[in-house]
Amino acid sequence: SASSANNNSYYIPPNTMTKLTINAVSFDTHNGANTANSSYSVPYTGIYRINTTARCISYIGTNFYSYCTIQYFDIQLRVNGNAYEDQFVFGTYPYFYNPFLFGTSSSTLIKLNAGDSISLYAYMTPYNGYLNANSGIQQAGISGHLVN
């Protein structure tokens, strides 16, 4: 079992699938978490329950209401660098409180082999082709445990 996260905000480039930084480990019963490359190596072959979450933030100016720059947000669970599951969020209204926060999470059962590496990626598409330098990932996390 393991749980790791990043609670620091950071920018990711628009329209680019980007590996999310995981820099803190809450617990890790088998020392599989690797904060240097933001991944987790599973210790045993079996079925795992993997939980992912990510929240993005959009800033524009200092007004109470602002134009939300993020139109589309996707978090992707990857196994050995290959896409396994995507969770999508679409922006629906052009104006939100500033800053605007939204995110997504997932929980999935997946068969993994000993030594498989899991990681979390994100992709954001802006409405206007530009993401403010203060926009990006506010939180990201991944946790899991062997089920069977």
Side-chain angles (χ1 to χ4, degrees):
S1 294
S3 178
S4 54
N6 185 339
N7 293 318
N8 300 320
S9 297
Y10 59 97
Y11 176 81
I12 68 170
N15 303 313
T16 304
M17 190 61 81
T18 303
K19 189 174 193 178
L20 298 184
T21 302
I22 302 296
N23 62 5
V25 178
S26 301
F27 63 88
D28 182 0
T29 59
H30 292 91
N31 298 316
N34 185 335
T35 57
N37 70 4
S38 299
S39 67
Y40 181 79
S41 293
V42 299
Y44 307 110
T45 296
I47 297 172
Y48 286 79
R49 164 80 60 199
I50 304 296
N51 306 298
T52 61
T53 186
R55 183 167 72 172
C56 64
I57 187 166
S58 176
Y59 284 100
I60 288 291
T62 57
N63 297 330
F64 190 61
Y65 283 96
S66 288
Y67 187 69
C68 176
T69 62
I70 300 169
Q71 178 182 20
Y72 170 83
F73 178 55
D74 172 20
I75 63 170
Q76 185 179 82
L77 175 64
R78 290 194 178 183
V79 178
N80 300 325
N82 299 309
Y84 178 78
E85 181 182 66
D86 288 277
Q87 292 294 316
F88 308 100
V89 176
F90 295 92
T92 55
Y93 301 101
Y95 291 92
F96 297 100
Y97 293 103
N98 187 37
F100 174 65
L101 301 167
F102 65 103
T104 186
S105 61
S106 72
S107 181
T108 189
L109 290 172
I110 179 175
K111 184 172 184 335
L112 296 169
N113 296 309
D116 280 351
S117 177
I118 58 174
S119 54
L120 194 58
Y121 282 69
Y123 182 95
M124 292 191 288
T125 299
Y127 275 111
N128 57 3
Y130 171 76
L131 283 176
N132 180 300
N134 293 320
S135 298
I137 299 299
Q138 187 184 42
Q139 289 179 318
I142 190 166
S143 64
H145 63 274
L146 180 65
V147 175
N148 188 0

